């Protein structure tokens, strides 16, 4: 006598069949309940239970979706049924974590491992007893949630660290598995076909490259006085200074002869300074292998690599650029500063690589005559090649597939190099390397396969097993299909499509 | 040293009343120089002084250069102050002391001790722009000590050019002169001291203090 098949959903009567593809992720899996046509179909969220012989499976808190009547000799009503993840999209989460200091270091006050972030989200969702212990450590994905949909936040987080959300129907607990981990498919002898393995070459990259954000440098930059000529060209030798000496023209440039000359002289004379290179006079930035032939390869920022802690907000704040050097500080005497910070007003125009002062900034020589000050600009800057490709830390790991290079962009990781020796390259490299290894592991078991069993297979999903399809149709033998690495159910929404929709939904935030 | 913030008037330079001047001395004006005003014109609505080196005539009020030296060209400009608030001024030698009076020197850019015109603010000195500086406030004198070395007695209401005297005992010729009118009713005998003032009206009047 064949085993008895039982399918129940709350108090719903007349259920004759069920096809339930059960997949990973935050989007609820959608099955189809087949029942005899009836009116007034309304069921509160209920447990979907089905059993065959001694095997019993219960999916808690499922909800009905749309129902359709399928016409035939014996019409059926087909009802969508979603597992309990249907309610996740109605939950939100807020918080700002893994914020970075300008040095690239993670702010200790906001530092969270991926598992901690997942815990925050799952708590917001209302799950309990979940297991995030398998999630990788040593990487710090940025999180800036402002009443963000919790399911989308979780999906994004998991994707960032090559994990997948598993609703374990055996334990009724949520687990998060790193992709490429977990027990793969096991043959039992009950399968209807052998386990044919294959490698989905198109999906396996040859390499993983982690591209960090642009590296930032703060070796101080030397400034030189520049002027605008009457043809509006900026240079160190404007046409209106022909035959004149800066040392004797004071601040008013009385030697210039026309109104236009006077206008550009008073507007720019000793007031505008531009970056001319590194402190030592050359252009190359220490540690950067990119050939630098022009200062336009510096990409200036208006802040420095150091941050200041704000005791009220308990956050680190960016600090603005500053200038230092030898200049006359408008004191009583002709004495100039010696490598002092200039604390007066100025404006930095990063795209023009220029600093402008509202009044002349000069130095006075030993006889009190005006001469050029020695000024240095302290600000963070990136370095780019002539094509605009910015120098960044990159970590590469071999996967061995036949695809191309999988580029992971991790702009929040920045190696920084400061004038006083600050160097966060080691931290950036370690985190980038960790990401690379996480994604190598993702593709570690490159063999996809599927197994179809008679009866109800009761395997659970993990980092390798990605889909279980239970199929119990009237008049047919109940079957279970389990997929490893690639989802094989052609009737349900693919993982790629689910993620695409999740990303589209996430664009609202 | 302190680094000043120029725009918020903490910088000393911005706490003084500066005037523009043009160099007509024909030579570089050093930092903190004592300058003789030779003229004042208006250019683009701004008063601009013309200055030269102090000469043998006592001028009662002098302009003092800032710490920025000014080139020798006739178009070269600088910023000067009458030191109403006090500040640094060029001196060559000597030791300034609080409340001493120092004054201009004929043919030089610096102050000399025991002369009328500049009240010393204290004993502090420094160097700036290659010169020694003391700290002083200009006090236009109400009276100066003069000595009738004009070559003869000066009758009442008559005019003559006499030497300004200073020094620690008031008996040293400063090599600076004033032309005055004897405001007394008596004749001002030769080789006698008296006083001169610019405060009594349109002329510099003098009166003998010795008979």
């Amino acid at each position: 006598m064949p085993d008895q098949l039982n399918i129940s959903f709350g108090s719903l009567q007349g259920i004759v069949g069920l096809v339930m593809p059960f997949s990973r992720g935050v989007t609820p899996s959608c099955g189809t309940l087949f029942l005899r046509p009836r009116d007034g179909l309304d069921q509160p969220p209920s447990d979907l239970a089905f059993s065959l012989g001694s095997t019993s499976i219960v999916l808690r808190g499922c909800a009905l979706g749309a129902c359709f009547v399928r016409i035939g000799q014996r019409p059926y009503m087909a009802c969508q049924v979603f597992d309990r993840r249907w309610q996740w999209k109605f939950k939100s989460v807020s918080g700002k974590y893994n914020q970075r200091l300008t040095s690239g270091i993670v702010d200790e006050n906001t530092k969270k491992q991926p598992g901690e972030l997942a815990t925050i989200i799952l708590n917001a969702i209302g799950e309990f007893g979940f297991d995030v212990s398998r999630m990788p450590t040593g990487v710090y994905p940025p999180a800036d949630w402002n009443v963000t949909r919790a399911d989308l936040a979780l999906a994004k987080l998991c994707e960032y660290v090559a994990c997948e959300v598993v609703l374990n129907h055996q334990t009724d607990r949520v687990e998060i598995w790193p992709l490429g981990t977990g027990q793969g498919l096991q043959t039992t002898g009950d399968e209807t076909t052998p386990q044919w393995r294959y490698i989905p070459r198109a999906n396996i990259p040859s390499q993983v490259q982690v591209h960090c954000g642009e590296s930032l440098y703060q070796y101080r930059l030397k400034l030189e006085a520049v002027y605008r000529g009457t043809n509006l060209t900026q240079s160190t030798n404007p046409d209106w200074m022909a035959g004149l000496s800066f040392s004797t023209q004071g601040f008013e440039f009385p030697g210039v002869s026309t109104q236009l000359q006077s206008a550009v002289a008073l507007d720019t004379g000793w007031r505008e300074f531009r970056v001319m290179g590194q402190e030592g006079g050359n252009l190359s930035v220490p540690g950067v292998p990119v050939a630098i032939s022009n200062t336009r390869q510096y990409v200036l920022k208006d802040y420095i690599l150091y941050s200041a802690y704000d005791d009220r907000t308990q956050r680190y704040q960016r600090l603005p650029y500053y200038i230092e050097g030898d200049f006359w500080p408008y004191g009583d005497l002709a004495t100039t500063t010696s490598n002092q910070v200039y604390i007066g007003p100025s404006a930095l125009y990063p795209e023009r690589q220029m600093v402008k002062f509202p009044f002349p900034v000069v130095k006075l020589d030993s006889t009190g005559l005006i001469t050029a000050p020695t000024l240095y600009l302290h600000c963070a800057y990136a370095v780019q090649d002539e094509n605009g490709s910015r120098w960044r830390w990159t970590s590469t790991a071999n996967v061995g597939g036949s695809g191309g290079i999988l580029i992971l962009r991790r702009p929040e990781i920045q190696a920084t190099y400061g004038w006083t020796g600050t160097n966060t390259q080691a931290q950036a490299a370690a985190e980038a390397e960790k990401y690379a290894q996480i994604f190598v592991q993702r593709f570690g078991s490159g063999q996809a396969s599927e197994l179809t069993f008679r009866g109800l297979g009761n395997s659970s999903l993990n980092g390798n097993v990605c889909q279980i399809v239970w199929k119990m149709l009237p008049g047919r033998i109940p079957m279970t299909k389990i997929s490893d690495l690639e989802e094989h159910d052609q009737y349900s929404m693919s993982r790629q499509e689910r993620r695409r929709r999740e990303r589209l939904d996430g664009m609202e935030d | 040293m302190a680094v000043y913030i120029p725009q918020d008037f903490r910088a000393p330079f911005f706490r003084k009343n500066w005037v523009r001047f043009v160099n007509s001395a024909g030579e570089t004006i050093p930092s903190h120089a004592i300058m003789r005003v030779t003229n004042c014109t208006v250019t683009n609505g701004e008063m601009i002084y013309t200055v030269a080196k102090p000469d043998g005539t006592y001028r009662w009020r002098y302009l003092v250069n800032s710490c920025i030296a000014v080139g020798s060209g006739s178009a070269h400009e600088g910023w000067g102050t009458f030191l109403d608030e006090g500040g640094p001024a060029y001196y060559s030698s000597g030791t300034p002391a609080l409340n001493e009076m120092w004054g201009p020197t004929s043919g030089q850019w610096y102050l000399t001790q025991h002369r009328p015109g500049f009240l010393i603010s204290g004993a502090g000195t420094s160097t700036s722009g290659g010169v020694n500086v003391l700290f002083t406030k200009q006090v236009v004198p109400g009276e100066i000590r003069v000595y009738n070395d004009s070559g003869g007695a000066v009758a009442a209401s008559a005019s003559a050019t006499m030497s300004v005297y200073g020094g620690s005992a008031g008996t040293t010729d400063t090599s600076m002169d004033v032309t005055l009118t004897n405001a007394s009713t008596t004749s001002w005998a030769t080789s006698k001291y008296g006083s001169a003032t610019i405060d009594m009206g349109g002329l510099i009047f003098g009166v003998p203090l010795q008979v």
Side-chain angles (χ1 to χ4, degrees):
Chain A
M1 178 179 175
D3 289 337
Q4 182 66 38
L5 174 66
N6 291 303
I7 305 171
S8 68
F9 180 75
S11 59
L12 201 60
Q13 299 297 310
I15 298 174
V16 296
L18 170 68
V19 175
M20 185 72 209
F22 193 60
S23 306
R24 303 178 302 196
V26 298
T27 297
S29 291
C30 178
T32 307
L33 268 176
F34 296 98
L35 59 157
R36 297 186 186 93
R38 51 174 294 177
D39 195 15
L41 193 64
D42 186 16
Q43 285 286 316
S46 305
D47 294 345
L48 174 65
F50 44 99
S51 63
L52 183 67
S54 60
T55 305
S56 177
I57 294 170
V58 178
L59 300 178
R60 308 273 181 203
C62 295
L64 288 182
C67 294
F68 311 90
V69 175
R70 295 188 177 179
I71 306 299
Q73 285 186 330
R74 298 174 63 189
Y76 289 114
M77 182 169 269
C79 298
Q80 290 178 335
V81 59
F82 297 99
D83 70 43
R84 75 158 184 266
R85 287 173 286 185
W86 66 269
Q87 53 196 324
W88 286 11
K89 70 178 180 182
F90 300 111
K91 305 296 174 61
S92 63
V93 65
S94 294
K96 211 168 187 175
Y97 302 102
N98 292 336
Q99 302 300 295
R100 305 269 171 161
L101 310 187
T102 48
S103 64
I105 300 293
V106 180
D107 176 0
E108 287 293 333
N109 297 298
T110 67
K111 196 172 190 177
K112 298 287 182 191
Q113 301 275 3
E116 295 174 291
L117 293 174
T119 298
I120 293 168
I121 300 171
L122 289 167
N123 280 331
I125 285 174
E127 291 289 335
F128 58 89
F130 47 80
D131 183 2
V132 297
S133 62
R134 299 179 185 86
M135 293 187 78
T137 58
V139 292
Y140 304 95
D144 189 358
W145 305 319
N146 179 12
V147 200
T148 299
R149 259 180 58 178
D151 60 332
L152 302 181
L154 186 58
K156 186 175 180 181
L157 169 65
C158 287
E159 188 172 64
Y160 214 75
V161 296
C163 287
E164 200 43 292
V165 178
V166 167
L167 178 57
N168 189 327
H169 65 277
Q170 295 175 331
T171 62
D172 194 36
R173 300 283 188 264
V174 172
E175 298 165 355
I176 296 183
W177 285 80
L179 292 170
T181 64
Q183 181 73 52
L185 289 187
Q186 298 295 303
T187 55
T188 63
D190 292 334
E191 53 271 13
T192 58
T193 55
Q195 183 182 12
W196 304 109
R197 294 185 174 86
Y198 69 98
I199 297 177
R201 289 285 181 185
N203 296 346
I204 310 281
S206 57
Q207 273 189 343
V208 171
Q209 274 189 5
V210 180
H211 286 203
C212 298
E214 59 192 12
S215 297
L216 293 177
Y217 302 84
Q218 198 178 294
Y219 302 106
R220 62 183 190 173
L221 300 169
K222 194 167 187 179
L223 298 172
E224 63 181 352
V226 286
Y227 314 86
R228 197 163 294 288
T230 53
N231 61 357
L232 303 184
T233 299
Q234 187 186 62
S235 72
T236 55
N237 290 302
D239 54 353
W240 42 265
M241 276 302 290
L244 302 176
S245 166
F246 282 111
S247 66
T248 56
Q249 285 300 301
F251 297 155
E252 283 76 27
F253 299 94
V256 302
S257 53
T258 68
Q259 279 195 356
L260 176 58
Q261 287 183 351
S262 187
V264 291
L266 289 175
D267 183 48
T268 62
W270 298 121
R271 289 164 168 84
E272 292 187 352
F273 293 81
R274 72 181 175 194
V275 172
M276 63 180 294
Q278 296 290 304
E279 177 179 355
N282 57 350
L283 289 171
S284 61
V285 180
V288 179
V290 176
I292 300 176
S293 58
N294 194 295
T295 56
R296 65 171 174 264
Q297 291 178 246
Y298 301 151
V299 183
L300 269 53
K301 314 294 180 183
D302 61 359
Y303 56 85
I304 60 173
L305 291 179
Y306 308 103
S307 306
Y309 186 71
D310 186 334
D311 68 342
R312 179 178 292 276
T313 62
Q314 297 179 334
R315 292 285 184 271
Y316 284 91
Q317 311 292 339
R318 280 184 176 177
L319 292 174
Y321 74 94
Y322 65 93
I323 296 159
E324 66 183 359
D326 305 343
F327 54 91
W328 176 55
Y330 283 83
D332 264 337
L333 306 179
T335 314
T336 59
T337 63
S338 176
N339 209 25
Q340 290 269 7
V341 174
Y342 169 83
I343 52 176
S346 67
L348 172 66
Y349 299 90
E351 71 287 356
R352 296 169 62 190
Q353 302 190 326
M354 200 189 79
V355 175
K356 182 155 188 172
F357 298 97
F359 42 75
V361 175
V362 299
K363 189 165 76 174
L364 303 179
D365 69 12
S366 60
T367 62
L369 288 172
I370 288 176
T371 186
T374 305
L375 296 179
Y376 301 102
L377 172 64
H378 269 281
C379 72
Y381 53 92
V383 178
Q384 63 185 8
D385 64 19
E386 288 285 12
N387 297 320
S389 173
R390 302 201 182 163
W391 180 248
R392 67 192 69 238
W393 186 261
T394 302
S395 186
T396 302
N398 288 322
V399 177
S402 302
I405 297 171
L406 174 65
I407 294 177
L408 301 176
R409 300 190 190 283
R410 295 293 181 267
E412 74 277 9
I413 305 174
Q414 287 183 288
T416 59
Y417 309 81
W419 176 52
T420 55
T422 300
N423 184 332
T424 62
Q425 178 183 296
Q427 291 96 321
E431 192 173 357
E433 178 69 16
K434 185 72 179 180
Y435 273 115
Q437 293 308 320
I438 290 169
F439 277 78
V440 167
Q441 177 182 261
R442 168 187 170 179
F443 299 107
S445 59
Q447 293 186 329
S449 64
E450 65 179 271
L451 280 177
T452 302
F453 302 87
R454 289 190 181 86
L456 291 184
N458 200 12
S459 298
S460 62
L461 304 176
N462 56 36
N464 283 316
V465 179
C466 56
Q467 189 180 55
I468 305 173
V469 182
W470 294 290
K471 192 175 287 187
M472 295 151 277
L473 293 172
R476 297 188 186 177
I477 299 171
M479 303 290 280
T480 301
K481 182 160 71 176
I482 306 178
S483 299
D484 207 351
L485 196 61
E486 299 274 323
E487 296 180 1
H488 295 103
D489 182 54
Q490 63 270 46
Y491 298 111
S492 57
M493 197 192 310
S494 68
R495 180 187 177 280
Q496 288 81 359
E497 176 62 13
R498 293 197 304 272
R499 276 302 293 145
R500 190 182 73 82
R501 294 187 180 193
E502 288 162 4
R503 287 196 192 95
L504 284 174
D505 285 353
M507 290 173 70
E508 293 176 1
D509 286 329
Chain B
M1 67 175 291
V3 177
Y4 302 106
I5 305 175
Q7 90 289 1
D8 73 352
F9 304 108
R10 280 171 53 189
F13 186 84
F14 287 90
R15 294 201 300 266
K16 293 180 174 56
N17 293 321
W18 297 103
V19 295
R20 286 172 66 183
F21 67 82
V22 175
N23 183 2
S24 66
E27 61 181 276
T28 297
I29 301 176
S31 304
H32 311 288
I34 311 302
M35 302 178 293
R36 171 170 59 95
V37 175
T38 61
N39 199 2
C40 175
T41 58
V42 174
T43 302
N44 295 328
E46 185 176 4
M47 184 170 66
I48 299 179
Y49 289 89
T50 305
V51 300
K53 204 177 221 180
D55 58 8
T57 299
Y58 188 73
R59 305 288 176 172
W60 301 89
R61 191 173 79 141
Y62 290 83
L63 195 57
V64 180
N65 188 19
S66 71
C67 60
I68 304 171
V70 178
S72 58
S74 61
H76 293 164
E77 290 190 8
W79 293 89
T81 171
F82 290 102
L83 276 188
D84 295 331
E85 322 81 1
Y90 178 13
Y91 81 104
S92 177
S93 60
T95 304
L98 179 65
N99 289 337
E100 278 184 353
M101 291 298 288
W102 291 50
T105 311
S106 175
Q108 301 296 337
W109 295 108
Y110 50 76
L111 293 175
T112 299
Q113 196 173 22
H114 303 308
R115 294 183 176 203
F118 292 84
L119 185 65
I120 301 302
S121 302
T125 60
S126 186
T127 58
S128 172
V131 303
N132 297 325
V133 292
L134 49 72
F135 296 91
T136 182
K137 170 183 170 29
Q138 181 164 214
V139 179
V140 177
E143 285 182 310
I144 57 174
R145 183 173 172 83
V146 292
Y147 182 75
N148 184 4
D149 54 359
S150 62
V154 179
S157 301
S159 293
T161 297
M162 299 185 184
S163 293
V164 178
Y165 265 57
S168 58
T171 55
T172 303
D173 187 353
T174 64
S175 300
M176 301 185 94
D177 302 331
V178 290
T179 299
L180 55 81
T181 299
N182 185 356
S184 70
T185 56
T186 61
S187 174
W188 190 332
T190 188
S191 301
K192 296 297 182 186
Y193 289 101
S195 68
T197 180
I198 199 171
D199 286 345
M200 290 177 65
L203 297 173
I204 298 173
F205 288 105
V207 291
L209 297 175
Q210 292 178 326
V211 291

